[in-house]
Amino acid sequence: MTPDTPLIIDDITLQSRLFLGTAGYPSPDILRQAIEASNPGLITVSLRRENAAGKGQDFWGIIKDMNVPVLPNTAGCFTAQEAITTAEMAREVFETNWIKLEVIGDDYLLNPDPFDLLKAAEALTNKGFNVFPYMTDDLILAQRLSDIGCKILMPWGAPIGSGKGLNNPYALQTMRDRFTGHTLVVDAGLGAPSHAAQAMEMGFDAVLLNTAVSKAADPVAMARAFAQATTAGRSAFRAGIIAPQSSARASTPMLDKPFWHQG
Amino acid sequence: MTMTQQNIAIIGAGIIGMMCARTLRDQGHTVTLYNKDGFPSTSSASYIAGGMLAPYSEIDHMTPDFIGACLHSIDLWRDFIKPRPDVHFTDKGSLLIAHQEDLHMLQRFAHHLPNDENKNVWETLSRPQLEDKESALPSKFQQGLWLKQEAAIHPQNVISALHDEFTQDEGMTLIAQSVTPNDIAGHFDHIIDARGDGAMHDDQNLRGVKGEIAIVHNPDVTFTHTVRIMHPRYPLYIVPRRDHVYMIGATQIETSQDDALSLRSAMELLSTLYSLHPSFADAKILGFHTGIRPSYSDNLPRITQRDNIITCNGTYRHGILLAPSLAEGVANAVQGTKINPIYTKPLPNRTQKVA
């Protein structure tokens, strides 16, 4: 098998296909260790809750020291306008035109709002951002986002932080099959490394997660486990997974049995 | 053990400085206490702290090797309050509850607690058991966790009580002046640097983590346990004080700017109270307070020594909880005896990842 090509976004070669969120770790040092253990392709950070200004060693300093590409997000925004303003602030603070666009429609389940998402994505694309939209797994929404110029699509696996894995593998597979030229990332809802492997086996380009690692009993070990699962899933996808069938088929001819029992 | 009496300066009159002063004074040393804005200090992070002595509730915020020191500290607090009846202290344990939609957080949290077959440390409470502990809890709270060994102390009571003692103690000198250890080096046998976030200019390893709390008065309901409501972003505790006064806090925001609290934080704190019991709708707000928790990148405290300067800092969320134990550690450093190794671990490197 030919060696895998790395994921490249805007001429930046990402070190891996695991994208990691940076919220909710027990300490900045545990976050640093988790990043070192899992070697993520990029890390997401939220601008809204924290404040970039500060004395001494602050959280941003730790993030910037990691030398991993940063994808700022608009977590906590409920309208297109809010998300656009946050994205513009993030562009200044982090000096990147990448933005993970999150426009939340429901306060409790944190469902993405597809309508304001599309509105904000169009406005930000026109302003020169590379938009990474956090979206539902709806095919038409994917089409509309693609129409306005999104090359990256990030459908959810399940609601943020739920850890339920891929709630609708059919919809995700359909999107993968339809948008072959796009960079597709399963974002949110992953709980176990097997969920990450499953998404990668389906041919997704990357997975993005946060809570499953940050709230694990041992976040550093869990970050490593997700990195391994992501790599395993990617390798399996490239290796070609056998199609399932209903009847059993022995993998080895059984020499200890009379041949007329075989076949 | 015989000890020579030393002339010791302590900089900072937050909970760490005050408890170090008390411990060293009790050991017979002469203590001079400096504080940049007078006495009692009202600007320290500890003055507005909740005072939860809750190592198991905070298990996600420290490493397991700290549990022993925390439990020892709670015992030291228990000894501390015996001759000081004005200091409000409760040790009935903490209750952890969650709204129906957040029950998974309670279950996830229970997985992080130590295995405890004999239920000495914690147990799951059914609705009748919860009601037995706090009869006012609305029926929507159907289950909870009881962390039995946890306690709470009122930090302002502690600081006031010690302040009264110190002002009557001829062996103590209190100086309202902003100094650094270098300013007074040479004048003392030992200098204890307990400046907390006040040392951030000198110590690049320290960062600030802002906390915001609300204090309310609600005569219409009685809670007697520290109650933690599971919240997606940070642990929120409701701590009952005397006379139906309740503290709720604290938020946790990565910033060193000690400005006013945000409207969002105020709403989160108050709506959490209201969601705990509807009678809080008519509670009177006594105040909002903010503070900066001095923190190292692993959120764990340190005692470090350089010549005759002993620094105790980085207490993060755990200043009140660990103050008596850290004061013991500092006293050991003064005497040249062994300090609990959890306080002397090297700071984590800010190593750069190899790209």
Side-chain angles (χ1 to χ4, degrees), chain B residues 284-329:
Chain B
K284 299 292 180 281
I285 298 173
L286 302 183
F288 287 109
H289 301 279
T290 64
I292 298 297
R293 309 175 180 99
S295 314
Y296 293 117
S297 70
D298 59 2
N299 293 340
L300 299 173
R302 295 293 189 300
I303 297 172
T304 52
Q305 278 177 275
R306 179 172 57 84
D307 304 323
N308 69 334
I309 299 168
I310 299 163
T311 302
C312 180
N313 213 328
T315 48
Y316 181 52
R317 300 176 57 87
H318 312 304
I320 312 296
L321 172 58
L322 286 169
S325 165
L326 283 164
E328 265 189 354

Side-chain angles (χ1 to χ4, degrees), chain A residues 26-29 32 36 39 48-51 53 55 57 59 61-62 65-67 108 161-162 215 217, chain B residues 60 101-102 108 112 204-207 234 253-254 256-257 264 297-299 348-353:
Chain A
S27 71
D29 189 54
R32 177 186 63 79
E36 285 178 354
N39 190 31
R48 280 180 69 87
R49 278 303 284 179
E50 325 289 1
N51 191 329
K55 305 175 276 181
Q57 176 187 344
F59 189 70
I62 295 166
D65 274 2
M66 295 309 304
N67 264 335
Y108 219 91
S162 67
K215 297 299 180 198
Chain B
D60 291 341
E101 302 88 335
D102 294 331
R108 279 182 189 175
H112 293 191
Q204 288 303 305
N205 290 309
L206 279 174
R207 75 183 205 288
Y234 27 69
I253 299 169
E254 287 283 346
S256 308
Q257 284 186 330
R264 173 207 291 252
S297 70
D298 59 2
N299 293 340
N349 295 325
R350 290 180 72 181
T351 48
Q352 305 240 330
K353 192 174 149 297

Side-chain angles (χ1 to χ4, degrees), chain B residues 8-304:
Chain B
I8 295 171
I10 297 172
I11 310 174
I15 195 74
I16 298 298
M18 293 296 271
M19 288 301 282
C20 286
R22 175 253 180 183
T23 305
L24 293 164
R25 175 204 65 178
D26 288 356
Q27 292 181 353
H29 301 293
T30 304
V31 174
T32 303
L33 187 57
Y34 289 89
N35 196 50
K36 64 173 189 254
D37 47 21
F39 302 91
S41 171
T42 53
S43 68
S44 68
S46 46
Y47 194 72
I48 65 133
M52 291 81 67
L53 308 176
Y56 293 105
S57 296
E58 291 284 309
I59 202 150
D60 291 341
H61 294 272
M62 59 173 83
T63 50
D65 53 349
F66 272 79
I67 294 283
C70 291
L71 296 174
H72 174 59
S73 237
I74 294 174
D75 286 339
L76 293 175
W77 277 126
R78 212 173 263 123
D79 295 339
F80 178 90
I81 53 120
K82 275 180 197 151
R84 298 177 177 91
D86 288 343
V87 177
H88 184 226
F89 175 87
T90 54
D91 58 357
K92 303 169 84 170
S94 312
L95 296 179
L96 271 62
I97 56 173
H99 293 287
Q100 282 301 316
E101 302 88 335
D102 294 331
L103 275 178
H104 65 279
M105 293 173 66
L106 206 59
Q107 288 148 12
R108 279 182 189 175
F109 182 84
H111 283 294
H112 293 191
L113 289 169
N115 283 329
D116 184 34
E117 281 175 20
N118 300 323
K119 298 186 176 176
N120 293 322
V121 174
W122 65 281
E123 68 177 276
T124 305
L125 300 185
S126 62
R127 172 67 203 174
Q129 290 169 308
L130 257 187
E131 218 170 301
D132 196 41
K133 298 245 167 285
E134 292 290 2
S135 57
L137 265 188
S139 60
K140 63 181 174 180
F141 296 108
Q142 285 291 318
Q143 55 172 290
L145 299 175
W146 179 32
L147 309 184
K148 304 176 180 187
Q149 297 178 12
E150 299 192 338
I153 195 163
H154 194 331
Q156 294 179 14
N157 292 167
V158 173
I159 288 172
S160 302
L162 286 175
H163 175 252
D164 290 349
E165 291 171 29
F166 291 172
T167 51
Q168 290 162 23
D169 190 330
E170 290 182 356
M172 304 262 324
T173 310
L174 273 54
I175 301 177
Q177 189 186 331
S178 175
V179 295
T180 67
N182 289 336
D183 293 340
I184 54 172
H187 300 287
F188 296 93
D189 296 321
H190 274 105
I191 295 164
I192 317 297
D193 181 357
R195 288 178 292 162
D197 67 305
M200 276 196 291
H201 289 295
D202 296 344
D203 187 349
Q204 288 303 305
N205 290 309
L206 279 174
R207 75 183 205 288
V209 180
K210 184 179 180 181
E212 301 153 311
I213 65 157
I215 311 275
V216 305
H217 179 233
N218 180 8
D220 296 335
V221 76
T222 302
F223 286 102
T224 59
H225 294 74
T226 299
V227 177
R228 174 176 169 185
I229 297 190
M230 300 311 280
H231 181 280
R233 275 197 295 283
Y234 27 69
L236 278 183
Y237 296 87
I238 293 98
V239 184
R241 303 254 164 95
R242 281 177 179 150
D243 304 320
H244 292 95
V245 170
Y246 297 90
M247 192 254 13
I248 175 148
T251 61
Q252 180 161 318
I253 299 169
E254 287 283 346
T255 177
S256 308
Q257 284 186 330
D258 193 9
D259 44 9
L261 90 170
S262 66
L263 193 133
R264 173 207 291 252
S265 294
M267 291 200 303
E268 279 185 352
L269 294 174
L270 300 184
S271 65
T272 301
L273 273 179
Y274 178 63
S275 74
L276 175 68
H277 197 275
S279 70
F280 278 102
D282 293 313
K284 299 292 180 281
I285 298 173
L286 302 183
F288 287 109
H289 301 279
T290 64
I292 298 297
R293 309 175 180 99
S295 314
Y296 293 117
S297 70
D298 59 2
N299 293 340
L300 299 173
R302 295 293 189 300
I303 297 172
T304 52

